Amino acid sequence: MSGGARHLYVHLPFCAHRCGYCDFVTVVGRGGEHASYVEALLAELELERRALAQLETVFLGGGTPTFTDPAQLEWLLGSLPPAEEVTVEANPETVTPELAYLLRRSGVTRVSLGAQSFQPALLEVLERCAGPDAVRRAFYHLRDAGFDNISLDLLYGIPGQSAPDLDRDLSEALTLGPEHLSCYELEAKRGTRFTHAHGAELSRQAESMETYFERVVETLMDAGYRWYETANFCLARDRAGGRDLRARHNLGYWLGRDYLGIGLGAVSTIDGVRRRNTSRLARYIAALAAGSPPAREVEELDAEVRSRERLMLGLRLDDPLPLDGVRSAVDEEALARLVRLGLVEPDADGGHAGRTLTLTPRGRFLGGGVTAELLA
Ligand SMILES: C[S@@+](CC[C@H](N)C(=O)[O-])C[C@H]1O[C@@H](n2cnc3c(N)ncnc32)[C@H](O)[C@@H]1O
Ligand code: SF4
């Protein structure tokens, strides 16, 4: 038994528009259903309350949480158990001064703003509702409301994005001075409109993406950010008055901790069991309105699967991964080879021999390929 999950994820699926590249669980509009959805969320939380310990983090993700009817969003935030870190994902065009204050007075400590790019033409390719001015405005509204922990999401590898375009995006983002940045390579998700229109182009440009990734890392590290996870950067402690600005909620996932997810399509992993809620809005709301849990897929994770996941996720971090509990997932011959190639470093923390593994910077750029080879 884990003693209860300390991390709660809450899914708010509503969006003003469905961006062509997105395959998250979202529903467009449905203003009339926001109240019954939030009611269902709170009913699910009540049913699952026993699975929770005192919370460290809450994360409201989407969808576009800040597109949810403001009165419903405020009610939801006021009804959730308290936590040290409360993050809300926000789309720039939804962040008015009123919304920023609503989040602040409702106990939100951190906002993750989906900027994606600062180039109007690239934002258009992505079918984003917000232009660069809206991104900047949203950022300042959040600062004015008192937020001292703001993260920006950026995408690279957008069709038509040149290397100087990427440099401009990074420079625009840095000008705002966010505490945290997530920089993702744009993925062609199966079945999306975007993949249909641009999939071939994304495959053609795949080789140049390593250079783009290196550019992102180099620029952000030069600007004083810590590359603490493959795609995530936070202002280094000495630039942040000693604060550790890593995203604590996501750190929970990468460290293999238990978490409860509530809402449409939400995933939970507790005591070696993974559950995924139905992605059908009407079924989700109806089940909870009748006092029952929503339909779910359930998967038992055996020890082997858990070690493999722990290895794959743990090696995304810059902190050394303790080998205790994951040793059986490591192919020792592959490990020796990867160490010789300078891609993996054993005991980078200077501790006892054979206790931890870390990917070297070169290994981190190759990322998933190195981890896949390491797996027994
Ligand atoms: C689920 S979205 C929710 C945030 C918010 N609705 C938005 O659009 O900014 C979270 C993040 O996932 C990333 N994302 C979404 N689709 C992606 C894709 N196809 N490839 C890479 N990253 C993606 C984007 O950077 C986005 O900010
Ligand atoms: S990218 Fe964000 S705004 Fe666009 S459809 Fe996905 S969740 Fe909604």
Side-chain angles (χ1 to χ4, degrees), residues 281-304:
L281 183 64
R283 280 186 75 184
Y284 176 79
I285 292 177
L288 285 148
S292 312
R296 291 172 174 143
E297 281 169 23
V298 180
E299 181 191 0
E300 298 263 352
L301 307 174
D302 63 28
E304 200 48 45

Side-chain angles (χ1 to χ4, degrees), residues 15 17-19 21-22 26 62-64 91 128:
C15 290
H17 152 84
R18 185 161 178 82
C19 310
Y21 59 93
C22 176
T26 62
T64 308
N91 280 34
R128 297 292 289 177

Side-chain angles (χ1 to χ4, degrees), residues 315 320-321 323 335 338-340 342-350 356-361 363 370:
L315 286 176
L321 169 70
L323 272 166
L335 173 59
L338 292 165
V339 171
R340 276 198 305 278
L343 299 171
V344 177
E345 192 180 355
D347 307 304
D349 52 352
T356 67
L357 289 184
T358 319
L359 296 191
T360 62
V370 175

Side-chain angles (χ1 to χ4, degrees), residues 115-120 123 132 135-136 152 154 169 172-173 176:
Q116 320 308 350
S117 171
F118 288 85
Q119 319 293 317
L123 289 168
V135 176
R136 282 185 280 263
L152 289 182
L154 289 179
D169 272 346
E172 295 264 13
L176 293 174

Side-chain angles (χ1 to χ4, degrees), residues 79-253:
S79 308
L80 294 174
E84 289 155 41
E85 180 191 271
V86 180
T87 303
V88 173
E89 279 184 340
N91 280 34
E93 69 280 6
T94 62
V95 184
T96 58
E98 295 72 33
L99 188 276
Y101 280 108
L102 183 160
L103 297 178
R104 195 74 196 131
R105 70 169 178 268
S106 302
V108 176
T109 63
R110 187 173 177 274
V111 176
S112 170
L113 189 63
Q116 320 308 350
S117 171
F118 288 85
Q119 319 293 317
L122 299 178
L123 289 168
E124 230 167 85
V125 172
L126 293 172
E127 303 175 16
R128 297 292 289 177
C129 297
D133 289 340
V135 176
R136 282 185 280 263
R137 250 192 327 269
F139 192 91
Y140 292 127
H141 291 330
L142 292 167
R143 279 283 190 251
D144 288 346
F147 282 101
D148 63 358
N149 195 353
I150 306 179
S151 180
L152 289 182
D153 281 2
L154 289 179
L155 288 172
Y156 63 91
I158 305 166
Q161 183 185 37
S162 63
D165 282 335
L166 174 60
D167 292 343
R168 271 193 290 274
D169 272 346
L170 292 168
S171 150
E172 295 264 13
L174 289 173
T175 303
L176 293 174
E179 283 67 28
H180 187 280
L181 285 144
S182 303
C183 298
Y184 304 109
E185 178 182 339
L186 180 59
E187 280 178 58
K189 305 278 190 185
R190 248 193 31 209
T192 59
R193 281 200 309 284
F194 189 84
T195 298
H196 189 65
H198 302 283
E201 196 170 347
L202 288 193
S203 314
R204 270 200 304 280
Q205 69 179 22
E207 289 216 338
S208 29
M209 282 309 106
E210 202 187 313
T211 327
Y212 277 48
F213 185 19
E214 286 173 4
R215 242 177 152 95
V216 168
V217 172
E218 207 170 286
T219 308
L220 297 184
M221 287 183 78
D222 283 351
Y225 286 79
R226 170 178 172 187
W227 180 26
Y228 73 95
E229 193 272 346
T230 310
N232 284 280
F233 305 81
C234 65
L235 216 47
R237 264 184 199 265
D238 57 348
R239 307 284 291 264
R243 291 164 76 201
D244 180 354
L245 289 166
R246 290 177 296 174
R248 280 181 68 180
H249 185 83
N250 293 334
L251 213 48
Y253 298 146

